[in-house]
Amino acid sequence: MKKNSQSRIAIIAKNSIKYIELIIDEWNKGNCIVLLDYNIPYSTIQTMLDEANVNICYVENGLFINKNNFKKIKYIYFDVQSKNVELVNSYIYDKYKKNYSKQEALIIYSSGTTGTSKGIILTHYAITTNADSIQNYMKLSKKDIMYIMKPLFHSSTIVGELLVCLKNKVKIAIGGNILIPRKIIENINKFKSTVICVNPYLLGEIINYNNEKRELNVTLKTIYISGSILPDKIRLMAKSVLKNINLCNMYGLTEAGPRVSAQTIKNNINNSVGKAIKKVKISVVDESGKKCKKNTKGVIYVKTKSVFQSYVKGNVKHMSLYKNWLNTGDIGYFDNKKNLYIIGRIDDVIIYNSHKIYPLDLEKCILNNLHIEECYVTSYLINENILIVCFYKSMCDDDLSYEIKKCLSAIFLPYEIPKFYIKVKEIIRNSNKKINKKNMYELFKEKYNG
């Protein structure tokens, strides 16, 4: 629980230097920051503010927050000096003070291991220790320039990018939440950025745009990828198009502070998520709580000094069966060199007549078709029967369901192969570019007439 002298201060804003300054100022006052996504509905924001017991809420002018909805909270509305991307001023670095205390530092609302949005409480010790471990493999110097484009209300951004740069005096370019490939490349070139962090979807968009326009300059040295599993097709395209740029996968979850494992510049030859970072231990465990052998799928467990303190409300969904370590809810395996591979989540595994079906295995096979840009395999319960469904986006007008089934039939058993195929203009995603499962289900209901 929070100290009596500590207040919880919410911030609802787009990325800006002012946003960073507010975070640092409130930390220096001893307060805990509650970071909220400005894209979510009024009612959801109100619930989060209420359950987090927020005292003050900073809101960037121009966002949709309704002043009349929250009468118990003091609202402070502010403007940002510039909507453009710009370098963070030196006085911001001077304001920042290192903090390894066990006081609350952040509350991040993330679906994480729970499947629903929960407030995850992280201490200063957790996030600062994790930032140290991240710097241990990133090895950023004062010559580097980090271009931060992902929203600061994500733990991977505020800890793995902002905090790492503040602690190590690394230059930061930031402003707005610009996720348009053309603008991203313009800003990388303008600020001579040497390192960026993206999710696989955004990496794919950058590759496609740069492959056509050839506008990315040579200052960019490393791209770190996290947020979801990087498809093999995108990785191979990136290696071909973004030559002389290191591609390093990372893995983590907010409850772990957030970073758990990462590839390094010296160890990024495969599509794993690398090895456990400093001060983190990882085990892959079977359903009985025993460690799995190498190359055997199991649930990923983590022991870390950066583990979260608690949830604002509620308990963990996936209980620990291994030494009281954190059950991530993710499924993966180690190869012979102790590199970790992620293959999905417990919640996504399809159980069909007591058999396990891993959607990611199917998706990887489907994406081998050069005409298919994206796909999403899931299952729905229809009249008490499991129906495996494949959504796909293609680059041609043809119906590719027959080709997909033919490809899958050569590798998978009949019960594993989707029975229903939906060609879509887009795989629907939320604000952080993860698949919007609720909206995809609504799309399925529109198309399915069985």
Side-chain angles (χ1 to χ4, degrees):
M1 298 297 291
K2 67 173 181 173
K3 307 279 186 180
N4 290 333
S5 60
Q6 188 180 40
S7 295
R8 287 176 174 171
I9 311 297
I11 303 177
I12 304 173
K14 295 182 178 181
N15 288 0
S16 67
I17 293 176
K18 179 64 177 178
Y19 194 164
I20 298 172
E21 186 175 13
L22 286 172
I23 292 170
I24 295 173
D25 285 346
E26 293 300 333
W27 275 346
N28 289 343
K29 294 175 187 176
N31 293 326
C32 172
I33 304 298
V34 182
L35 299 178
L36 298 179
D37 182 350
Y38 57 86
N39 291 296
I40 58 182
Y42 297 135
S43 58
T44 305
I45 287 179
Q46 187 169 14
T47 298
M48 291 173 173
L49 292 170
D50 287 344
E51 73 177 24
N53 194 25
V54 167
N55 305 96
I56 296 171
C57 183
Y58 290 98
V59 182
E60 180 185 338
N61 274 319
L63 298 182
F64 60 78
I65 305 306
N66 187 332
K67 301 179 184 180
N68 299 320
N69 276 355
F70 314 101
K71 295 183 179 179
K72 295 181 180 179
I73 300 168
K74 179 181 179 182
Y75 279 82
I76 301 175
Y77 289 81
F78 68 93
D79 290 309
V80 297
Q81 291 183 339
S82 173
K83 301 286 186 181
N84 298 320
V85 175
E86 53 189 345
L87 287 175
V88 172
N89 312 82
S90 60
Y91 80 89
I92 296 291
Y93 294 87
D94 295 336
K95 280 191 169 193
Y96 171 73
K97 296 178 177 63
K98 295 179 183 179
N99 189 342
Y100 289 88
S101 75
K102 295 297 179 71
Q103 270 198 320
E104 292 179 8
L106 289 173
I107 295 177
I108 302 284
Y109 274 86
S110 168
S111 59
T113 62
T114 67
T116 57
S117 187
K118 283 188 177 181
I120 300 165
I121 303 173
L122 293 165
T123 64
H124 282 286
Y125 179 81
I127 63 173
T128 308
T129 301
N130 202 250
D132 289 342
S133 296
I134 293 169
Q135 170 62 5
N136 183 66
Y137 69 79
M138 278 191 172
K139 303 188 186 305
L140 300 177
S141 73
K142 293 181 180 180
K143 294 181 180 179
D144 283 304
I145 301 175
M146 171 80 80
Y147 171 30
I148 297 179
M149 65 192 78
K150 296 185 300 178
L152 286 172
F153 51 74
H154 294 314
S155 60
S156 61
T157 311
I158 190 167
V159 178
E161 299 177 52
L162 176 63
L163 192 55
V164 169
C165 290
L166 290 175
K167 287 185 84 277
N168 297 284
K169 307 291 184 183
V170 177
K171 292 178 182 178
I172 301 168
I174 194 168
N177 295 331
I178 299 171
L179 301 178
I180 302 170
R182 176 178 60 82
K183 286 291 186 182
I184 289 172
I185 291 174
E186 283 180 7
N187 288 320
I188 290 171
N189 293 342
K190 177 179 179 181
F191 294 100
K192 295 181 170 57
S193 176
T194 60
V195 58
I196 59 173
C197 299
V198 299
N199 57 42
Y201 176 82
L202 197 53
L203 177 62
E205 294 290 291
I206 292 170
I207 293 167
N208 289 333
Y209 181 83
N210 190 65
N211 194 31
E212 180 182 346
K213 300 293 184 179
R214 302 286 180 183
E215 292 180 355
L216 188 62
N217 66 23
V218 295
T219 62
L220 191 61
K221 297 177 182 177
T222 309
I223 300 176
Y224 289 99
I225 306 130
S226 65
S228 58
I229 299 165
L230 177 65
D232 291 328
K233 179 189 287 187
I234 293 180
R235 179 177 177 274
L236 292 173
M237 287 174 58
K239 287 284 187 181
S240 174
V241 174
L242 306 177
K243 294 178 180 177
N244 302 317
I245 298 176
N246 295 296
L247 299 174
C248 298
N249 289 332
M250 306 183 295
Y251 164 68
L253 63 161
T254 301
E255 287 92 337
R259 190 62 56 229
V260 169
S261 71
Q263 292 183 325
T264 64
I265 292 173
K266 294 181 180 180
N267 178 33
N268 64 349
I269 59 173
N270 52 28
N271 203 16
S272 74
V273 292
K275 301 178 186 293
I277 65 173
K278 190 176 181 181
K279 297 184 180 180
V280 175
K281 294 182 179 180
I282 305 172
S283 282
V284 177
V285 178
D286 66 20
E287 293 175 348
S288 66
K290 295 181 180 179
K291 289 180 68 173
C292 294
K293 295 179 181 180
K294 291 176 182 176
N295 298 303
T296 302
K297 297 172 183 176
V299 178
I300 298 169
Y301 280 77
V302 173
K303 182 181 181 181
T304 173
K305 292 181 178 293
S306 300
V307 70
F308 75 121
Q309 181 173 285
S310 65
Y311 292 114
V312 172
K313 184 180 179 181
N315 300 310
V316 295
K317 181 176 181 180
H318 301 294
M319 300 304 296
S320 178
L321 299 175
Y322 182 76
K323 297 182 180 181
N324 206 32
W325 287 19
L326 176 65
N327 182 339
T328 66
D330 292 315
I331 298 172
Y333 65 92
F334 284 117
D335 67 13
N336 294 328
K337 295 184 178 180
K338 205 60 177 178
N339 291 302
L340 181 66
Y341 293 78
I342 310 298
I343 62 168
R345 289 193 53 77
I346 293 173
D347 295 339
D348 294 336
V349 174
I350 300 168
I351 307 297
Y352 186 90
N353 291 337
S354 300
H355 297 287
K356 290 182 179 179
I357 301 171
Y358 297 94
L360 183 64
D361 290 342
L362 296 165
E363 291 169 1
K364 283 183 175 180
C365 181
I366 294 167
L367 288 172
N368 286 332
N369 186 314
L370 296 177
H371 294 294
I372 296 177
E373 294 184 66
E374 296 181 84
C375 68
Y376 169 53
V377 175
T378 188
S379 66
Y380 301 119
L381 187 62
I382 306 296
N383 298 325
E384 300 185 359
N385 294 312
I386 296 292
L387 178 67
I388 302 176
V389 179
C390 171
F391 298 89
Y392 69 94
K393 174 186 175 183
S394 72
M395 293 180 283
C396 65
D397 296 329
D398 299 335
D399 181 345
L400 299 178
S401 57
Y402 174 77
E403 288 188 33
I404 295 172
K405 283 188 280 189
K406 184 178 179 181
C407 170
L408 295 175
S409 297
I411 301 173
F412 297 93
L413 296 171
Y415 69 83
E416 297 179 286
I417 299 171
K419 299 297 187 292
F420 194 73
Y421 296 82
I422 303 175
K423 183 179 178 181
V424 296
K425 292 182 179 179
E426 296 290 340
I427 300 293
I428 305 170
R429 299 177 183 272
N430 56 26
S431 60
N432 62 352
K433 302 304 179 183
K434 291 187 177 182
I435 292 173
N436 189 319
K437 296 179 181 180
K438 181 179 179 181
N439 286 3
M440 293 304 290
Y441 177 62
E442 293 300 320
L443 180 58
F444 164 76
K445 288 196 297 183
E446 288 179 16
K447 301 289 184 180
Y448 182 71
N449 56 8

